[in-house]
Amino acid sequence: DAFRQALIVDPKNVEAWFNLGMLLENAKQDVSGAEKAFRQALAIDPKYAMAWNNLGALLENSKKDMMGAEDAYRQALTVDPRSTLAWNNLGLLL
């Protein structure tokens, strides 16, 4: 698919990793692949708040890893304290 092609051209394309994670989680139902893609995006850019938030949501909803989800939401808020999405997700989790 297009995101994998983009990653062949530029393996450090953080947006391609993030979007691949979204595609794998939502369209393909590939939770493991999505988690790997989000973590790869974060390895490239640890300040990518939306990737932290989406990783948290995946851990919470698909893997039932509440501690991991809380950590990811808190990382998102460390990076972007104004992220209403991360605040909302953390609040619902707790």
Side-chain angles (χ1 to χ4, degrees):
D1 66 354
F3 299 125
R4 291 186 196 278
Q5 279 302 122
L7 291 167
I8 290 169
V9 173
D10 180 8
K12 293 193 180 276
N13 184 325
V14 70
E15 289 295 324
W17 281 111
F18 176 78
N19 287 323
L20 178 61
M22 295 285 293
L23 174 74
L24 292 173
E25 180 180 13
N26 297 317
K28 308 279 186 180
Q29 310 297 303
D30 179 0
V31 172
S32 178
E35 181 180 0
K36 288 177 188 172
F38 290 141
R39 290 191 186 279
Q40 185 61 37
L42 291 164
I44 296 164
D45 181 2
K47 294 185 178 183
Y48 194 175
M50 186 59 78
W52 281 114
N53 184 73
N54 283 32
L55 176 62
L58 178 137
L59 293 173
E60 177 183 359
N61 298 319
S62 297
K63 299 190 89 177
K64 306 302 182 208
D65 177 0
M66 302 312 169
M67 291 182 68
E70 181 180 350
D71 289 344
Y73 295 144
R74 290 189 186 280
Q75 282 288 355
L77 291 167
T78 297
V79 172
D80 181 7
R82 298 174 52 111
S83 172
T84 56
L85 187 57
W87 279 115
N88 184 63
N89 287 340
L90 180 61
L92 290 171
L93 176 67
L94 299 176

